[in-house]
């Protein structure tokens, strides 16, 4: 049986290196999970909200560590933990860019005059759009609500 | 919801011109009251619980919310006198919102004490 230099290194310095690979893969996974958490925390900033930058930076680093651990140590557990990071990153990117797409509205697109309305505010007082715009410009902000 | 916090300055700019921000969602007033108070928004959140007004604007996302609830499609509309639309924008993705600084600049472009409609 031939022994490659890599096997030789693995045999001679076995344990510490394996432990290292496990540590690296877990660190990678923590970074990967931390990515979306950091994103949620910083979401008030509209650039961060739209780009997802902090999530992708941490998830990319986490995935790199995971892949590095798998390259170093071929045990099943390391593979599982190490490959989970890139998988989660791909899943997050998929949801972020495709899963959260919203349907464009033809009706909204063609509006030139805002439809009139009277709706209750948070205290239950009726607010009429006509009355508001009679005194100044109104910015209507339609949002998905509390969740 | 955190997106509303960024609109405080936009609201102040509108108030200088006699106007204001009006947020609209399908949430009941009791829910929105928490948000207005806790986040010190300084502007109102209107409740379109039935979704009737959202439908008129073409902004009712049927089954688009958590638990297949009907919710609003996120959008921004700048309305002047006679309900004339000066500017509008629909979000392409859930996390996509206009930059509050851009909205502020947009409002600053309107004349003071006037809504700039003819």
């Amino acid at each position: 049986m031939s022994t490659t230099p890599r096997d030789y290194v693995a045999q001679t310095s076995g344990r510490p290196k394996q432990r290292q690979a496990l540590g690296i893969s877990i660190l990678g996974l923590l970074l990967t999970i931390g990515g979306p958490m950091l994103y949620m925390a910083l979401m008030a900033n509209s650039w961060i909200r739209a780009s997802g930058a902090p999530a992708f930076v941490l998830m990319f680093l986490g995935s790199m560590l995971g892949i590095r651990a798998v390259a170093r140590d071929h045990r099943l557990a390391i593979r599982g933990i190490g490959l989970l990071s890139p998988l989660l990153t791909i899943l997050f990117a998929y949801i972020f860019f495709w899963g959260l797409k919203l349907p464009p509205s033809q009706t909204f697109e063609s509006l030139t005059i805002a439809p009139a309305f009277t709706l209750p505010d948070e205290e239950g007082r009726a607010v009429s759009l006509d009355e508001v715009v009679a005194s100044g410009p109104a910015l209507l902000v339609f949002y998905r609500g509390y969740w | 919801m955190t997106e509303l916090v960024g609109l405080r300055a936009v609201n102040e700019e509108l108030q200088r011109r006699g106007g204001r921000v009006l947020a609209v969602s399908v949430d009941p007033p009791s829910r929105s009251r928490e948000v207005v108070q806790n986040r010190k928004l300084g502007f109102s959140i209107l409740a379109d619980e039935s979704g009737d007004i959202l439908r008129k604007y073409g902004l009712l996302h049927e089954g688009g919310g958590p638990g297949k609830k009907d919710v609003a499609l996120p959008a921004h509309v700048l309305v002047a006198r006679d309900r004339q639309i000066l500017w509008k924008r629909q979000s392409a993705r859930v996390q996509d919102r206009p930059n509050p600084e851009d909205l502020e600049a947009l409002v600053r472009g309107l004349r003071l004490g006037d809504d700039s409609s003819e």
Side-chain angles (χ1 to χ4, degrees):
Chain A
M1 262 228 290
S2 66
T3 307
T4 65
R6 190 191 214 134
D7 289 338
Y8 179 76
V9 172
Q11 279 158 20
T12 49
S13 60
R15 267 174 194 289
K17 191 145 200 175
Q18 287 182 343
R19 222 175 279 144
Q20 220 181 9
L22 183 66
I24 291 172
S25 65
I26 290 174
L27 180 66
L29 189 58
L30 288 176
L31 276 177
T32 304
I33 294 168
M37 287 166 76
L38 184 66
Y39 171 69
M40 303 278 269
L42 301 178
M43 223 159 79
N45 178 296
S46 62
W47 180 77
I48 285 176
R49 187 185 169 99
S51 68
F56 288 114
V57 168
L58 284 194
M59 292 186 101
F60 175 77
L61 291 175
S63 299
M64 289 287 107
L65 289 180
I67 290 166
R68 197 170 156 191
V70 173
R72 277 194 182 194
D73 187 326
H74 299 292
R75 280 177 305 168
L76 199 62
I78 304 290
R79 278 191 185 173
I81 300 169
L83 292 178
L84 194 55
S85 292
L87 281 176
L88 285 174
T89 304
I90 291 167
L91 182 72
F92 181 81
Y94 177 80
I95 294 172
F96 193 85
F97 290 112
W98 291 280
L100 298 176
K101 265 196 180 164
L102 294 166
S105 163
Q106 293 295 329
T107 311
F108 182 73
E109 193 59 43
S110 61
L111 287 180
T112 53
I113 300 292
F117 61 75
T118 301
L119 287 171
D121 71 4
E122 69 283 349
E123 303 292 344
R125 299 170 296 215
V127 174
S128 128
L129 180 60
D130 274 312
E131 279 173 29
V132 173
V133 297
S135 63
L139 179 68
L140 306 181
V141 179
F142 297 93
Y143 80 109
R144 289 168 54 87
Y146 191 93
W147 45 294
Chain B
M1 203 247 305
T2 49
E3 72 220 59
L4 296 180
V5 176
L7 297 175
R8 277 187 215 138
V10 180
N11 185 54
E12 283 162 20
E13 209 55 56
L14 281 166
Q15 282 178 328
R16 250 166 245 150
R17 289 158 180 81
R20 53 176 163 144
V21 168
L22 294 174
V24 183
S25 76
V26 296
D27 288 342
S30 56
R31 216 354 114 56
S32 298
R33 194 183 308 138
E34 282 174 39
V35 180
V36 171
Q37 288 173 355
N38 296 346
R39 307 287 177 134
K40 300 186 169 51
L41 290 185
F43 55 84
S44 294
I45 301 180
L46 308 183
D48 182 22
E49 293 181 79
S50 65
D52 287 347
I53 302 305
L54 291 172
R55 197 176 282 113
K56 279 193 192 163
Y57 277 81
L59 294 174
L60 188 68
H61 194 188
E62 287 176 52
K68 296 275 164 219
K69 201 175 85 162
D70 294 352
V71 292
L73 284 165
H76 292 67
V77 189
L78 187 60
V79 187
R81 204 180 293 272
D82 300 323
R83 284 185 273 115
Q84 254 188 17
I85 294 178
L86 300 177
W87 173 89
K88 63 178 161 34
R89 176 187 191 277
Q90 196 198 338
S91 298
R93 291 184 286 136
V94 167
Q95 67 275 32
D96 159 41
R97 292 293 179 276
N99 203 334
E101 287 81 46
D102 294 343
L103 290 172
E104 241 184 284
L106 188 73
V107 173
R108 251 189 238 118
L110 305 176
R111 274 174 290 160
L112 266 172
D114 185 15
D115 57 17
S116 90
S117 68
E118 312 307 287

